[in-house]
Amino acid sequence: MSGSVEDRRIFPRAEVILAGRVDGNLRKKDCAVMDISLTGAKLEFDTPLTGETIETLRFSQSAALNVSVAWDHGTSVGVNFTDAPHDIANVLEPLLPKSCFEPFDNKN
């Protein structure tokens, strides 16, 4: 596969610093969301998630989004959203710049 990761992304990723909370097999855990798109996010934790899974991600009062872990580098974890794109867009609309939704808007 050639090209940069950014070139292969379906939706643009926005650099953000948002408070998030994940829920998994062991407990709920706070995190910082460092970047996000309609397909996934990069999360930062205070400590590694050794032996923990992540099932959902929530932003303050938002609905929980179902996620799967794409990669895990200690305290940095990449997740993919597994909900329908329309549901993800509804939750993320107040958090992301309009440019992140343009490819989604063009597909509808």
Coordinates of all heavy atoms in Angstrom, one line a residue:
M1 N 0.9 -1.2 0.0 CA 0.0 0.0 0.0 C 0.9 1.2 0.0 O 1.8 1.3 0.8 CB -0.9 0.0 1.3 CG -2.1 0.9 1.2 SD -3.1 0.7 2.7 CE -4.1 -0.6 2.2
S2 N 0.7 2.1 -0.9 CA 1.5 3.3 -1.0 C 0.8 4.6 -0.5 O -0.4 4.5 -0.3 CB 2.0 3.5 -2.4 OG 0.8 3.8 -3.2
G3 N 1.6 5.6 -0.3 CA 1.0 6.9 0.2 C 1.0 6.9 1.7 O 1.2 5.9 2.4
S4 N 0.8 8.1 2.2 CA 0.8 8.3 3.7 C -0.5 7.8 4.3 O -1.5 7.6 3.6 CB 1.0 9.8 4.0 OG -0.2 10.5 3.7
V5 N -0.5 7.6 5.6 CA -1.7 7.2 6.3 C -2.8 8.2 6.0 O -4.0 7.9 5.7 CB -1.5 7.1 7.8 CG1 -2.8 6.9 8.5 CG2 -0.5 5.9 8.1
E6 N -2.5 9.5 6.0 CA -3.5 10.6 5.8 C -4.1 10.4 4.4 O -5.3 10.7 4.2 CB -2.8 11.9 6.0 CG -3.8 13.0 6.3 CD -4.6 12.9 7.5 OE1 -4.1 12.4 8.5 OE2 -5.8 13.2 7.5
D7 N -3.3 10.1 3.4 CA -3.8 9.9 2.1 C -4.8 8.8 2.0 O -5.7 8.8 1.1 CB -2.7 9.6 1.1 CG -1.7 10.8 0.9 OD1 -2.2 11.9 1.2 OD2 -0.6 10.6 0.4
R8 N -4.6 7.7 2.8 CA -5.5 6.6 2.8 C -6.8 6.7 3.6 O -7.7 5.9 3.6 CB -4.7 5.3 3.2 CG -3.6 5.0 2.3 CD -3.0 3.6 2.6 NE -2.6 3.5 4.0 CZ -1.3 3.6 4.4 NH1 -0.4 4.0 3.6 NH2 -1.0 3.5 5.7
R9 N -6.9 7.8 4.4 CA -8.0 8.0 5.3 C -9.3 8.3 4.5 O -9.2 9.0 3.5 CB -7.8 9.1 6.3 CG -6.7 8.8 7.3 CD -6.7 9.8 8.4 NE -5.6 9.7 9.2 CZ -5.3 8.8 10.2 NH1 -6.2 7.9 10.4 NH2 -4.2 8.8 10.9
I10 N -10.4 7.7 4.9 CA -11.7 7.9 4.3 C -12.2 9.3 4.6 O -12.7 10.1 3.8 CB -12.7 6.9 4.6 CG1 -12.2 5.5 4.2 CG2 -14.1 7.2 4.1 CD1 -13.0 4.3 4.7
F11 N -12.0 9.7 5.9 CA -12.5 11.0 6.4 C -11.3 11.7 7.1 O -10.5 11.1 7.7 CB -13.6 10.7 7.5 CG -14.8 10.1 7.0 CD1 -15.1 8.8 7.2 CD2 -15.7 10.8 6.2 CE1 -16.2 8.1 6.7 CE2 -16.9 10.2 5.7 CZ -17.1 8.9 6.0
P12 N -11.3 13.0 6.9 CA -10.2 13.8 7.5 C -10.2 13.7 9.0 O -11.3 13.5 9.7 CB -10.6 15.3 7.1 CG -11.6 15.2 6.0 CD -12.2 13.9 6.2
R13 N -9.1 13.7 9.6 CA -8.9 13.6 11.1 C -8.6 15.0 11.6 O -7.9 15.8 11.0 CB -7.7 12.7 11.3 CG -7.7 12.1 12.7 CD -6.7 11.0 12.8 NE -7.4 9.7 12.4 CZ -7.9 8.9 13.3 NH1 -7.7 9.1 14.6 NH2 -8.5 7.8 12.9
A14 N -9.2 15.4 12.7 CA -9.0 16.7 13.3 C -8.2 16.5 14.6 O -8.5 15.6 15.4 CB -10.4 17.3 13.7
E15 N -7.2 17.4 14.8 CA -6.4 17.4 16.0 C -7.3 18.1 17.1 O -7.8 19.2 16.8 CB -5.1 18.1 15.8 CG -4.1 17.3 15.0 CD -2.8 17.9 14.9 OE1 -2.4 18.8 15.7 OE2 -2.0 17.5 14.0
V16 N -7.5 17.4 18.2 CA -8.3 18.0 19.3 C -7.7 17.6 20.6 O -6.8 16.8 20.6 CB -9.8 17.4 19.2 CG1 -10.5 17.8 18.0 CG2 -9.7 15.9 19.4
I17 N -8.2 18.2 21.6 CA -7.9 17.7 23.0 C -9.2 17.7 23.7 O -9.7 18.8 24.1 CB -6.8 18.6 23.7 CG1 -5.5 18.5 23.0 CG2 -6.7 18.0 25.2 CD1 -4.4 19.4 23.6
L18 N -9.8 16.5 23.8 CA -11.1 16.4 24.4 C -11.0 15.4 25.6 O -10.3 14.4 25.5 CB -12.1 15.8 23.4 CG -12.4 16.7 22.1 CD1 -13.2 15.9 21.1 CD2 -13.1 17.9 22.5
A19 N -11.8 15.6 26.6 CA -11.9 14.6 27.7 C -12.8 13.5 27.2 O -13.9 13.7 26.6 CB -12.5 15.3 28.9
G20 N -12.4 12.3 27.4 CA -13.2 11.1 27.1 C -13.2 10.1 28.2 O -12.4 10.3 29.2
R21 N -14.0 9.2 28.1 CA -14.1 8.1 29.1 C -14.4 6.8 28.3 O -15.3 6.7 27.5 CB -15.2 8.4 30.1 CG -15.3 7.3 31.1 CD -16.1 7.7 32.3 NE -15.6 7.0 33.5 CZ -15.3 7.6 34.6 NH1 -15.6 8.9 34.8 NH2 -14.8 6.9 35.6
V22 N -13.6 5.8 28.6 CA -13.8 4.5 28.0 C -14.4 3.5 29.0 O -14.1 3.7 30.2 CB -12.5 3.9 27.3 CG1 -12.0 4.8 26.2 CG2 -11.4 3.7 28.4
D23 N -15.1 2.5 28.5 CA -15.6 1.5 29.3 C -15.2 0.2 28.7 O -15.2 0.0 27.5 CB -17.1 1.6 29.4 CG -17.7 0.7 30.5 OD1 -17.0 0.0 31.2 OD2 -19.0 0.7 30.6
G24 N -14.7 -0.7 29.5 CA -14.2 -2.0 29.0 C -14.4 -3.1 29.9 O -15.3 -3.1 30.8
N25 N -13.6 -4.2 29.8 CA -13.8 -5.4 30.6 C -13.5 -5.2 32.0 O -14.0 -5.9 32.9 CB -13.0 -6.5 30.0 CG -11.5 -6.3 30.1 OD1 -11.0 -5.2 30.0 ND2 -10.8 -7.4 30.2
L26 N -12.6 -4.3 32.4 CA -12.2 -4.1 33.8 C -12.8 -3.0 34.5 O -13.1 -3.1 35.7 CB -10.7 -4.1 33.9 CG -9.9 -5.3 33.4 CD1 -8.4 -5.1 33.5 CD2 -10.3 -6.6 34.1
R27 N -12.9 -1.8 33.8 CA -13.4 -0.6 34.5 C -13.6 0.5 33.5 O -13.2 0.4 32.4 CB -12.5 -0.2 35.6 CG -11.1 0.1 35.0 CD -10.1 0.4 36.2 NE -8.7 0.3 35.6 CZ -7.8 1.2 35.9 NH1 -8.1 2.3 36.6 NH2 -6.6 1.1 35.3
K28 N -14.2 1.6 34.0 CA -14.2 2.8 33.2 C -12.9 3.6 33.5 O -12.4 3.5 34.6 CB -15.4 3.7 33.7 CG -16.8 3.1 33.4 CD -17.8 4.0 33.9 CE -19.2 3.6 33.7 NZ -19.8 2.6 33.0
K29 N -12.4 4.2 32.5 CA -11.1 4.9 32.6 C -11.2 6.2 31.8 O -11.6 6.2 30.6 CB -10.0 4.0 32.1 CG -8.7 4.5 32.4 CD -7.6 3.4 32.1 CE -6.3 3.8 32.6 NZ -5.3 2.8 32.4
D30 N -10.7 7.3 32.4 CA -10.6 8.6 31.7 C -9.5 8.6 30.7 O -8.5 7.9 30.9 CB -10.5 9.7 32.7 CG -11.7 9.9 33.6 OD1 -12.8 9.7 33.1 OD2 -11.5 10.3 34.7
C31 N -9.7 9.4 29.6 CA -8.6 9.5 28.7 C -8.7 10.9 28.0 O -9.7 11.6 28.2 CB -8.7 8.4 27.6 SG -10.2 8.5 26.6
A32 N -7.7 11.2 27.3 CA -7.6 12.4 26.5 C -7.7 12.0 25.0 O -7.0 11.1 24.6 CB -6.4 13.2 26.7
V33 N -8.6 12.6 24.3 CA -8.8 12.3 22.8 C -7.9 13.3 22.1 O -8.1 14.5 22.2 CB -10.2 12.4 22.4 CG1 -10.4 12.0 20.9 CG2 -11.1 11.4 23.2
M34 N -6.9 12.8 21.4 CA -5.9 13.7 20.8 C -6.2 14.0 19.3 O -5.9 15.1 18.8 CB -4.5 13.0 20.9 CG -4.1 12.7 22.3 SD -4.3 14.0 23.5 CE -2.9 15.1 22.9
D35 N -6.8 13.1 18.6 CA -7.3 13.4 17.3 C -8.5 12.4 17.0 O -8.6 11.4 17.7 CB -6.2 13.3 16.2 CG -5.6 12.0 15.9 OD1 -6.3 10.9 16.0 OD2 -4.5 11.9 15.6
I36 N -9.3 12.8 16.1 CA -10.6 12.1 15.8 C -11.1 12.3 14.4 O -10.8 13.4 13.8 CB -11.6 12.5 16.9 CG1 -12.8 11.6 16.9 CG2 -12.0 14.0 16.7 CD1 -13.7 11.8 18.1
S37 N -11.7 11.3 13.9 CA -12.4 11.4 12.6 C -13.7 10.6 12.7 O -14.0 10.1 13.8 CB -11.6 10.9 11.5 OG -11.5 9.4 11.5
L38 N -14.5 10.5 11.6 CA -15.7 9.8 11.7 C -15.4 8.2 11.7 O -16.3 7.5 11.9 CB -16.6 10.1 10.5 CG -17.2 11.5 10.5 CD1 -18.0 11.7 9.2 CD2 -18.0 11.7 11.7
T39 N -14.2 7.8 11.6 CA -13.9 6.4 11.6 C -13.1 6.0 12.8 O -13.0 4.8 13.1 CB -13.1 6.0 10.4 OG1 -11.9 6.8 10.3 CG2 -13.9 6.1 9.1
G40 N -12.5 6.9 13.6 CA -11.7 6.5 14.7 C -11.1 7.7 15.5 O -11.3 8.8 15.1
A41 N -10.3 7.3 16.5 CA -9.7 8.3 17.3 C -8.4 7.8 17.9 O -8.2 6.6 18.1 CB -10.6 8.7 18.5
K42 N -7.5 8.7 18.3 CA -6.3 8.4 19.1 C -6.5 8.9 20.5 O -6.9 10.0 20.8 CB -5.1 9.2 18.5 CG -3.8 8.9 19.3 CD -2.7 9.7 18.7 CE -1.4 9.6 19.5 NZ -0.3 10.4 19.0
L43 N -6.4 7.9 21.4 CA -6.6 8.2 22.8 C -5.3 8.2 23.6 O -4.4 7.4 23.3 CB -7.5 7.1 23.4 CG -8.8 6.8 22.6 CD1 -9.6 5.7 23.3 CD2 -9.6 8.1 22.5
E44 N -5.2 9.0 24.6 CA -4.0 9.0 25.5 C -4.5 8.7 26.9 O -5.5 9.3 27.4 CB -3.3 10.3 25.5 CG -2.6 10.6 24.2 CD -1.3 9.8 24.0 OE1 -0.7 9.4 25.0 OE2 -0.9 9.7 22.9
F45 N -3.8 7.8 27.6 CA -4.1 7.4 29.0 C -2.9 7.7 29.9 O -1.8 7.8 29.5 CB -4.4 5.9 29.1 CG -5.6 5.5 28.3 CD1 -5.6 5.1 27.0 CD2 -6.9 5.5 28.9 CE1 -6.7 4.8 26.3 CE2 -8.0 5.2 28.2 CZ -7.9 4.8 26.9
D46 N -3.2 7.9 31.2 CA -2.2 8.1 32.2 C -1.3 6.9 32.4 O -0.1 7.0 32.6 CB -2.8 8.4 33.6 CG -3.4 9.8 33.6 OD1 -3.0 10.7 32.8 OD2 -4.3 10.0 34.4
T47 N -1.9 5.7 32.2 CA -1.1 4.4 32.4 C -1.5 3.5 31.2 O -2.6 3.6 30.7 CB -1.4 3.7 33.7 OG1 -2.8 3.5 33.8 CG2 -1.0 4.6 34.9
P48 N -0.7 2.5 30.9 CA -1.0 1.6 29.8 C -2.3 0.8 30.2 O -2.6 0.6 31.4 CB 0.2 0.7 29.7 CG 1.3 1.5 30.3 CD 0.7 2.3 31.4
L49 N -2.9 0.2 29.2 CA -4.1 -0.5 29.4 C -3.9 -2.0 29.5 O -4.7 -2.9 29.1 CB -5.1 -0.4 28.2 CG -5.6 1.0 28.0 CD1 -6.5 1.1 26.7 CD2 -6.4 1.5 29.2
T50 N -2.8 -2.4 30.1 CA -2.4 -3.8 30.2 C -3.5 -4.7 30.6 O -4.1 -4.6 31.7 CB -1.2 -3.9 31.2 OG1 -0.2 -3.0 30.9 CG2 -0.6 -5.3 31.2
G51 N -3.9 -5.6 29.7 CA -4.9 -6.6 30.0 C -6.3 -6.1 29.9 O -7.3 -6.8 30.1
E52 N -6.5 -4.8 29.6 CA -7.9 -4.2 29.5 C -8.3 -4.2 28.1 O -7.5 -4.0 27.2 CB -7.9 -2.8 30.1 CG -7.5 -2.8 31.6 CD -7.6 -1.4 32.2 OE1 -8.6 -0.8 32.1 OE2 -6.6 -1.0 32.8
T53 N -9.6 -4.3 27.9 CA -10.2 -4.1 26.6 C -11.0 -2.8 26.6 O -11.4 -2.3 27.7 CB -11.1 -5.2 26.1 OG1 -12.2 -5.3 27.1 CG2 -10.4 -6.5 26.1
I54 N -11.2 -2.2 25.5 CA -12.1 -1.0 25.4 C -13.3 -1.4 24.5 O -13.1 -1.9 23.4 CB -11.3 0.2 24.7 CG1 -10.1 0.5 25.6 CG2 -12.2 1.4 24.6 CD1 -9.2 1.6 24.9
E55 N -14.4 -1.1 25.0 CA -15.7 -1.4 24.3 C -16.4 -0.2 23.8 O -17.0 -0.2 22.8 CB -16.6 -2.3 25.1 CG -15.9 -3.6 25.4 CD -16.6 -4.4 26.5 OE1 -17.6 -3.9 27.1 OE2 -16.1 -5.5 26.8
T56 N -16.4 0.9 24.6 CA -17.1 2.1 24.3 C -16.3 3.4 24.6 O -15.4 3.3 25.5 CB -18.5 2.3 25.0 OG1 -18.2 2.3 26.4 CG2 -19.4 1.1 24.6
L57 N -16.5 4.5 23.9 CA -15.9 5.8 24.2 C -17.1 6.8 24.3 O -18.0 6.8 23.5 CB -15.0 6.1 23.0 CG -14.4 7.6 23.0 CD1 -13.5 7.8 24.3 CD2 -13.6 7.8 21.7
R58 N -17.0 7.6 25.3 CA -18.0 8.7 25.5 C -17.3 10.0 25.8 O -16.2 10.1 26.4 CB -18.8 8.3 26.8 CG -19.9 9.2 27.2 CD -20.5 8.8 28.5 NE -21.0 7.4 28.4 CZ -22.2 7.0 28.0 NH1 -23.1 7.9 27.6 NH2 -22.6 5.8 28.1
F59 N -17.9 11.1 25.3 CA -17.5 12.4 25.5 C -18.5 13.1 26.4 O -19.7 13.2 26.1 CB -17.4 13.2 24.2 CG -16.6 12.6 23.2 CD1 -17.2 11.7 22.2 CD2 -15.2 12.7 23.2 CE1 -16.4 11.1 21.3 CE2 -14.4 12.1 22.2 CZ -15.1 11.3 21.3
S60 N -18.1 13.6 27.6 CA -19.0 14.2 28.6 C -20.4 13.7 28.5 O -20.7 12.6 28.9 CB -18.9 15.7 28.6 OG -19.2 16.3 27.4
Q61 N -21.4 14.4 28.0 CA -22.8 14.0 28.0 C -23.2 13.3 26.7 O -24.4 13.1 26.5 CB -23.7 15.2 28.2 CG -23.4 16.0 29.5 CD -23.5 15.1 30.7 OE1 -24.4 14.3 30.9 NE2 -22.6 15.2 31.7
S62 N -22.3 12.9 25.9 CA -22.7 12.3 24.6 C -23.1 10.8 24.8 O -22.8 10.2 25.8 CB -21.5 12.3 23.6 OG -20.5 11.4 23.9
A63 N -23.7 10.3 23.8 CA -24.0 8.8 23.8 C -22.7 8.1 23.6 O -21.7 8.6 23.1 CB -24.9 8.5 22.6
A64 N -22.6 6.9 24.1 CA -21.4 6.0 24.0 C -21.3 5.5 22.6 O -22.3 5.2 22.0 CB -21.5 4.9 25.0
L65 N -20.1 5.6 22.1 CA -19.8 5.0 20.7 C -19.1 3.7 20.9 O -18.1 3.6 21.7 CB -18.9 6.0 19.9 CG -19.5 7.3 19.5 CD1 -18.5 8.3 19.0 CD2 -20.7 7.1 18.5
N66 N -19.5 2.7 20.2 CA -18.8 1.4 20.2 C -17.5 1.5 19.5 O -17.5 2.1 18.4 CB -19.7 0.3 19.6 CG -20.9 0.1 20.5 OD1 -20.8 -0.2 21.7 ND2 -22.1 0.2 19.9
V67 N -16.5 0.9 20.0 CA -15.1 1.0 19.4 C -14.4 -0.4 19.5 O -14.8 -1.3 20.3 CB -14.2 2.0 20.1 CG1 -14.8 3.4 20.0 CG2 -14.0 1.7 21.6
S68 N -13.4 -0.5 18.6 CA -12.5 -1.7 18.7 C -11.1 -1.1 18.6 O -10.9 0.0 18.0 CB -12.8 -2.6 17.5 OG -12.5 -2.0 16.3
V69 N -10.2 -1.7 19.3 CA -8.8 -1.2 19.4 C -8.1 -1.6 18.1 O -8.1 -2.7 17.6 CB -8.1 -1.8 20.6 CG1 -6.6 -1.4 20.5 CG2 -8.7 -1.3 21.9
A70 N -7.6 -0.6 17.4 CA -6.8 -0.8 16.1 C -5.3 -1.0 16.4 O -4.7 -1.8 15.8 CB -7.0 0.4 15.2
W71 N -4.8 -0.2 17.4 CA -3.4 -0.4 17.8 C -3.3 0.1 19.2 O -4.1 0.8 19.8 CB -2.5 0.4 16.9 CG -2.8 1.8 16.6 CD1 -3.6 2.3 15.6 CD2 -2.4 2.9 17.4 NE1 -3.7 3.7 15.7 CE2 -3.0 4.1 16.8 CE3 -1.7 3.1 18.6 CZ2 -2.8 5.4 17.4 CZ3 -1.5 4.3 19.1 CH2 -2.0 5.5 18.5
D72 N -2.2 -0.4 19.9 CA -2.0 -0.1 21.3 C -0.5 0.1 21.5 O 0.3 -0.9 21.3 CB -2.5 -1.2 22.2 CG -2.3 -1.0 23.7 OD1 -1.5 -0.1 24.1 OD2 -2.9 -1.7 24.5
H73 N 0.0 1.3 21.8 CA 1.4 1.6 22.1 C 1.5 2.2 23.5 O 1.9 3.3 23.7 CB 1.9 2.6 21.0 CG 1.9 2.2 19.6 ND1 2.1 3.0 18.6 CD2 1.6 0.9 19.1 CE1 2.0 2.3 17.4 NE2 1.7 1.0 17.8
G74 N 1.2 1.3 24.5 CA 1.4 1.8 25.8 C 0.3 2.7 26.3 O -0.9 2.3 26.4
T75 N 0.6 4.0 26.5 CA -0.4 4.9 26.9 C -1.2 5.6 25.7 O -2.2 6.2 25.9 CB 0.2 6.0 27.8 OG1 1.2 6.7 27.0 CG2 0.8 5.5 29.1
S76 N -0.7 5.3 24.5 CA -1.4 5.8 23.3 C -2.2 4.6 22.7 O -1.6 3.5 22.4 CB -0.4 6.3 22.3 OG 0.2 7.5 22.8
V77 N -3.4 4.8 22.4 CA -4.3 3.7 21.8 C -5.1 4.3 20.7 O -5.7 5.4 20.8 CB -5.2 3.1 22.9 CG1 -6.1 2.1 22.3 CG2 -4.4 2.5 24.0
G78 N -5.1 3.6 19.5 CA -6.0 4.0 18.4 C -7.2 3.1 18.4 O -7.1 1.9 18.6
V79 N -8.4 3.7 18.2 CA -9.6 3.0 18.2 C -10.4 3.3 16.9 O -10.2 4.4 16.3 CB -10.6 3.3 19.4 CG1 -9.9 2.8 20.7 CG2 -10.9 4.7 19.5
N80 N -11.1 2.3 16.4 CA -12.0 2.4 15.3 C -13.4 2.4 15.8 O -13.7 1.6 16.7 CB -11.9 1.2 14.3 CG -10.5 1.2 13.6 OD1 -10.0 2.3 13.2 ND2 -10.0 0.1 13.4
F81 N -14.2 3.3 15.3 CA -15.7 3.3 15.6 C -16.3 2.2 14.9 O -16.1 2.0 13.7 CB -16.3 4.6 15.3 CG -15.7 5.8 16.1 CD1 -15.2 6.9 15.4 CD2 -15.7 5.8 17.4 CE1 -14.7 8.0 16.1 CE2 -15.2 6.8 18.2 CZ -14.7 7.9 17.5
T82 N -17.2 1.5 15.5 CA -17.9 0.3 14.9 C -19.4 0.6 14.7 O -20.1 -0.3 14.1 CB -17.7 -1.0 15.7 OG1 -18.2 -0.8 17.1 CG2 -16.2 -1.3 15.8
D83 N -19.9 1.7 15.1 CA -21.3 2.1 14.9 C -21.5 2.6 13.5 O -20.5 2.8 12.8 CB -21.7 3.2 15.8 CG -21.8 2.8 17.3 OD1 -22.4 1.8 17.6 OD2 -21.2 3.5 18.2
A84 N -22.7 2.7 13.0 CA -23.0 3.2 11.7 C -22.5 4.6 11.5 O -22.6 5.4 12.5 CB -24.5 3.1 11.5
P85 N -21.9 5.0 10.4 CA -21.4 6.3 10.2 C -22.3 7.4 10.5 O -21.9 8.4 11.1 CB -21.0 6.3 8.7 CG -20.7 4.9 8.4 CD -21.7 4.1 9.2
H86 N -23.6 7.3 10.2 CA -24.6 8.3 10.5 C -24.7 8.5 12.0 O -24.8 9.7 12.5 CB -25.9 7.9 9.9 CG -27.0 9.0 10.0 ND1 -27.8 9.1 11.1 CD2 -27.2 10.1 9.3 CE1 -28.6 10.1 11.0 NE2 -28.2 10.8 9.9
D87 N -24.7 7.4 12.8 CA -24.8 7.6 14.2 C -23.5 8.2 14.8 O -23.6 9.1 15.7 CB -25.0 6.2 14.9 CG -26.3 5.5 14.5 OD1 -27.2 6.3 14.2 OD2 -26.3 4.3 14.6
I88 N -22.4 7.9 14.3 CA -21.1 8.5 14.7 C -21.2 10.0 14.4 O -20.8 10.8 15.2 CB -19.9 7.8 14.0 CG1 -19.8 6.4 14.5 CG2 -18.6 8.6 14.3 CD1 -19.0 5.5 13.6
A89 N -21.6 10.4 13.2 CA -21.7 11.8 12.8 C -22.6 12.6 13.7 O -22.3 13.7 14.1 CB -22.2 11.9 11.3
N90 N -23.7 12.0 14.1 CA -24.6 12.7 15.0 C -23.9 13.0 16.4 O -24.1 14.1 16.9 CB -25.9 11.9 15.3 CG -26.8 11.9 14.1 OD1 -26.8 12.8 13.3 ND2 -27.7 10.9 14.0
V91 N -23.1 12.1 16.9 CA -22.5 12.3 18.2 C -21.3 13.3 18.0 O -21.1 14.2 18.8 CB -21.9 11.0 18.7 CG1 -21.0 11.2 20.0 CG2 -23.1 10.1 19.1
L92 N -20.6 13.2 16.9 CA -19.3 14.0 16.7 C -19.6 15.4 16.1 O -18.7 16.2 16.2 CB -18.3 13.2 15.9 CG -17.8 11.9 16.5 CD1 -16.8 11.3 15.5 CD2 -17.2 12.1 17.8
E93 N -20.8 15.6 15.6 CA -21.0 16.9 14.9 C -20.7 18.1 15.8 O -20.0 19.0 15.3 CB -22.5 17.0 14.4 CG -22.7 18.2 13.6 CD -24.1 18.2 13.0 OE1 -25.0 17.5 13.5 OE2 -24.3 18.9 12.0
P94 N -21.0 18.2 17.0 CA -20.7 19.4 17.8 C -19.2 19.4 18.2 O -18.8 20.5 18.7 CB -21.6 19.3 19.1 CG -22.1 17.9 19.1 CD -21.9 17.3 17.8
L95 N -18.5 18.4 18.0 CA -17.1 18.3 18.4 C -16.0 18.6 17.3 O -14.9 18.9 17.6 CB -16.8 17.0 19.0 CG -17.7 16.5 20.2 CD1 -17.4 15.1 20.6 CD2 -17.5 17.5 21.4
L96 N -16.4 18.4 16.1 CA -15.5 18.4 14.9 C -15.8 19.6 14.0 O -16.9 20.0 13.8 CB -15.5 17.1 14.1 CG -15.1 15.9 14.9 CD1 -15.3 14.7 14.0 CD2 -13.7 16.0 15.3
P97 N -14.8 20.1 13.3 CA -15.0 21.1 12.3 C -15.8 20.5 11.1 O -15.7 19.3 10.8 CB -13.6 21.5 11.8 CG -12.6 20.5 12.4 CD -13.3 19.7 13.5
K98 N -16.5 21.4 10.4 CA -17.3 21.0 9.3 C -16.5 20.2 8.2 O -17.1 19.3 7.6 CB -18.0 22.2 8.7 CG -19.0 21.9 7.6 CD -19.8 23.1 7.2 CE -20.6 22.9 6.0 NZ -21.2 21.7 5.7
S99 N -15.3 20.6 8.0 CA -14.5 19.9 7.0 C -14.4 18.4 7.2 O -14.2 17.7 6.3 CB -13.1 20.6 6.9 OG -12.4 20.4 8.2
C100 N -14.5 18.0 8.4 CA -14.4 16.5 8.7 C -15.6 15.8 8.2 O -15.6 14.5 8.1 CB -14.3 16.3 10.2 SG -12.7 16.8 10.9
F101 N -16.7 16.5 7.9 CA -17.9 15.8 7.5 C -18.2 15.9 6.0 O -19.1 15.3 5.4 CB -19.2 16.5 8.2 CG -19.1 16.3 9.7 CD1 -18.5 17.2 10.5 CD2 -19.6 15.1 10.2 CE1 -18.5 17.0 11.9 CE2 -19.6 14.9 11.6 CZ -19.0 15.8 12.4
E102 N -17.3 16.7 5.3 CA -17.6 16.9 3.8 C -17.6 15.6 3.0 O -18.5 15.4 2.2 CB -16.6 17.9 3.3 CG -16.9 19.3 3.8 CD -15.8 20.3 3.4 OE1 -14.8 20.0 2.8 OE2 -16.0 21.5 3.8
P103 N -16.6 14.7 3.2 CA -16.7 13.4 2.5 C -18.0 12.6 2.8 O -18.6 12.0 2.0 CB -15.5 12.6 2.9 CG -14.5 13.7 3.4 CD -15.4 14.7 4.0
F104 N -18.4 12.7 4.1 CA -19.7 12.0 4.5 C -20.9 12.6 3.8 O -21.7 11.9 3.3 CB -19.8 12.1 6.0 CG -21.0 11.4 6.5 CD1 -21.1 10.0 6.6 CD2 -22.1 12.1 7.0 CE1 -22.2 9.4 7.1 CE2 -23.2 11.5 7.5 CZ -23.3 10.1 7.5
D105 N -20.9 14.0 3.8 CA -22.0 14.7 3.1 C -22.1 14.4 1.7 O -23.2 14.3 1.1 CB -21.8 16.2 3.3 CG -22.0 16.6 4.8 OD1 -22.6 15.8 5.6 OD2 -21.5 17.7 5.2
N106 N -20.9 14.2 1.0 CA -20.9 13.9 -0.4 C -21.4 12.5 -0.8 O -21.8 12.2 -1.9 CB -19.5 14.2 -1.0 CG -19.1 15.6 -1.0 OD1 -20.0 16.5 -1.0 ND2 -17.8 15.9 -0.9
K107 N -21.4 11.6 0.2 CA -21.8 10.2 0.0 C -23.2 10.1 0.1 O -23.8 9.0 -0.2 CB -21.0 9.3 0.9 CG -19.5 9.2 0.6 CD -18.8 8.3 1.5 CE -17.3 8.4 1.1 NZ -16.5 7.4 1.7
N108 N -23.9 11.0 0.7 CA -25.4 10.9 1.0 C -26.2 11.6 -0.1 O -25.8 12.4 -0.8 CB -25.7 11.5 2.3 CG -25.1 10.7 3.4 OD1 -25.1 9.4 3.3 ND2 -24.7 11.3 4.5

